[in-house]
Amino acid sequence: MTESKIIDGKAFAEKFCGEIAAEVATLKPHGTPGLAVVLVGEDPASAVYVRNKGRQTVAAGMNSFEHRLPASLSEDDLIALIGQLNRDDSVHGILVQLPLPPQISADRVLAVIDPAKDVDGFHVVNAGRLATGLPALVPCTPQGCMMLLKSVIPDMSGLKAVVIGRSNIVGKPMAQLLLQQNCTVVMAHSRTRNIAEECRQADILIAAVGRPRMIRGDWIKPGAAVIDVGINRVDNENGKSKLVGDVAFDEALGVAGYITPVPGGVGPMTIACLLQNTAIAFKAQRKLEQA
Ligand code: GUN
């Protein structure tokens, strides 16, 4: 049995948000960072995220501009709104909540966001800058994972990291960040042969697949750091729904050296990193020095 340390992402994010708020206060002479969040349609999970983002943006001393639009919105109208936000000097960050309704292409919409205001880090310019080692706005969830990892493993050089899931939002940028830390990175996905065996080699295991409890206890190398990005709603025994991760948490306890819980692990860090990206974007647009 390994004594597993549970990484408290909620406490980490609260402290980090406090630090961001303190920095925003020092930036006051230069203005107030502003974040525009665009929500198209009424997906309930997206509505909850957007509300939380708005609340925390204001709590950090920044301006929050919410644009709630009907599910029937045309792609041209959304692109026109983004053009307006690109030109608006009070808006330093733009986030278009995904997923978008089927008549709108996320690729075409993300492509028109000014890369300097792309606080999600989804624009190809930011993805390319990250991949080539240039300063970039980095996607929030992988950035949050990396901060939690660094808090428990300050030097990851030479460690083997396995990332399960190859999305543009999490898996691919996560692999880039781990490479920057000199990890040996394996990307596993739905076509990977013997995925359990790949996972058993991992000193660092990042689960970002969106399949409840897919990663079993015996897939985990004893002492490994396990970061669970999954947020899956499942029905429990008494018919109520609850949130679980991509890792079978109960099985992982006693095997992993470090593990993030769901909820209360990576989730709170994502919004904290969004606030940080908004502050970074503001400073870059005002030509202020980055901390
Ligand atoms: N939908 C789920 N996660 C995200 C995210 O990080 N950013 C945006 N814009 N939409 C999302």
Side-chain angles (χ1 to χ4, degrees):
M1 275 295 267
T2 311
E3 173 91 42
S4 301
K5 181 181 180 300
I6 296 174
I7 304 174
D8 186 345
K10 187 162 179 276
F12 196 109
E14 275 169 14
K15 180 162 176 281
F16 184 37
C17 286
E19 289 163 11
I20 296 165
E23 189 189 15
V24 169
T26 68
L27 293 171
K28 271 280 172 264
H30 305 283
T32 304
L35 172 64
V37 175
V38 179
L39 174 63
V40 185
E42 272 127 46
D43 176 58
S46 291
V48 172
Y49 291 140
V50 167
R51 202 164 43 240
N52 284 338
K53 282 172 194 168
R55 214 170 13 226
Q56 294 203 39
T57 304
V58 171
M62 304 194 225
N63 291 326
S64 169
F65 308 105
E66 278 183 26
H67 296 265
R68 291 167 183 272
L69 302 158
S72 59
L73 187 78
S74 72
E75 188 178 287
D76 285 350
D77 285 350
L78 181 53
I79 287 175
L81 170 63
I82 291 169
Q84 262 178 44
L85 298 172
N86 282 341
R87 291 184 294 273
D88 186 338
D89 288 339
S90 65
V91 171
H92 307 93
I94 301 169
L95 179 148
V96 178
Q97 185 68 31
L98 302 177
L100 289 166
Q103 75 277 14
I104 301 180
S105 153
D107 286 341
R108 278 196 290 268
V109 167
L110 296 177
V112 298
I113 297 176
D114 179 349
K117 296 189 176 185
D118 170 36
V119 284
D120 256 330
F122 294 166
H123 193 286
V124 289
V125 165
N126 281 310
R129 292 179 70 90
L130 175 63
T132 52
L134 291 169
L137 285 164
V138 176
C140 305
T141 299
Q143 181 68 30
C145 293
M146 187 46 80
M147 291 183 75
L148 294 179
L149 266 178
K150 274 199 157 177
S151 74
V152 295
I153 312 179
D155 179 9
M156 296 168 218
S157 187
L159 296 184
K160 178 139 176 187
V162 174
V163 180
I164 318 169
R166 53 177 159 177
S167 70
N168 292 337
I169 295 182
V170 184
K172 286 179 200 159
M174 189 72 234
Q176 298 296 350
L177 292 175
L178 289 160
L179 267 179
Q180 280 182 5
Q181 296 297 315
N182 302 312
C183 289
T184 301
V185 182
V186 170
M187 294 209 68
H189 46 77
S190 53
R191 305 292 176 89
T192 298
R193 294 192 186 156
N194 207 346
I195 198 163
E197 201 43 57
E198 292 292 345
C199 292
R200 281 186 202 109
Q201 317 275 321
D203 303 300
I204 294 168
L205 186 59
I206 314 282
V209 265
R211 288 181 57 185
R213 303 190 184 104
M214 182 182 117
I215 287 93
R216 309 299 303 262
D218 67 354
W219 296 24
I220 296 169
K221 179 176 174 176
V226 178
I227 306 290
D228 191 349
V229 182
I231 301 179
N232 309 290
R233 196 165 277 288
V234 296
D235 289 335
N236 66 9
E237 309 78 45
N238 44 33
K240 290 210 177 116
S241 82
K242 65 168 188 169
L243 295 180
V244 300
D246 291 346
V247 178
F249 185 80
D250 296 349
E251 295 179 8
L253 274 184
V255 185
Y258 305 95
I259 184 163
T260 59
V262 177
V266 173
M269 290 301 291
T270 298
I271 293 184
C273 290
L274 175 67
L275 302 181
Q276 185 192 38
N277 275 352
T278 306
I280 289 171
F282 171 82
K283 287 182 282 180
Q285 285 159 53
R286 292 288 153 96
K287 304 205 162 32
L288 303 171
E289 211 173 306
Q290 299 289 347

